[in-house]
Amino acid sequence: MSHGTDSACFKPQAKPLPDPIGDTRARMQRTGQWQPQQMAGRRWAVACVCLEITQRCNLDCTLCYLSENSEAVRDLPLEEIFRRIDMIVRYYGPGTDVQVSGGEPTLRRRDEVVAIVRRLAARGLRASLFTNGIRATRDLLVELADAGLTDVAFHVDTTQQRVGHHNETDLNALRREYIERARGLPISVFFNTTVHAGNLEDVPMLAAFFVSQADVVRLASFQLQADTGRGVLGARVESISNDSVAKRLQQGACSSLNFNVLTAGHRDCNRSADRSTHLASSRQ
Ligand code: SF4
């Protein structure tokens, strides 16, 4: 959370706080973000923590948040990852959602990815695998679920320039394949989609697709193009906004979406909508 006055902004503390959730609640109150549906400061001390276990990736998205030099960065040793996991528990407490991310986390050795998820679960943290899915086989997902994985979030969209998939409709075949890999496992299944000028008009179709897959897909997250990292597309056009994406989600879902069920952090940064069996969210 980087909004509000300087004095109200989050700053890493020298020492863990005795009551991290209470501290977040106090900050939400000071910055006018406290509402009955606000989860930050109620369920979480922090909406989530991103644990980047490698900077390498097997894709080169046109909107990638990594730096130009990421492929040259060596993976942190497992001991350092474990030290960071222990730090997350100390600062934010058990129950915190941790995105096991990268780069592409499955590029690390399989036994290390499993050990990381096992360590997170042993510390009472909720581990999500954030993956482009290429190496997230059924077999790996079974092993990770057994190690304590809570969710898998598949990132699939046209920024990835996947061979043989020319548009978002083509990519639905791949999304279906990933859904089948996770079907029946004791983990929640999420999908991440980056919204850019080339797929803004596909958002209603994507919303309809995710609704049709709601027996497995629990959350569909739409993340608005941002001018950050090594991605070549740059800043988003004006037509892409939380409002314009919400309108298209509404069209595709073919029912009224309630965008005020939950709030996670600052209201200008993200919003979530409930459609009885699953959530859709947009984030900028
Ligand atoms: S956005 Fe994710 S999948 Fe795409 S290149 Fe970057 S790390 Fe890889």
Side-chain angles (χ1 to χ4, degrees), residues 54-66 70-71 101-105 107 130-134 155-157 159-160 162 194 230-231:
T54 182
Q55 296 289 296
R56 296 173 289 130
C57 190
N58 45 2
L59 286 177
D60 187 12
C61 299
T62 52
L63 284 169
C64 177
Y65 50 86
L66 294 176
S70 57
E71 294 297 329
S101 177
E104 172 52 43
L107 290 184
F130 271 56
T131 176
N132 59 36
I134 293 172
H155 173 202
V156 179
D157 62 53
T159 66
Q160 296 172 319
R162 298 193 192 225
T194 308
R230 66 185 180 182

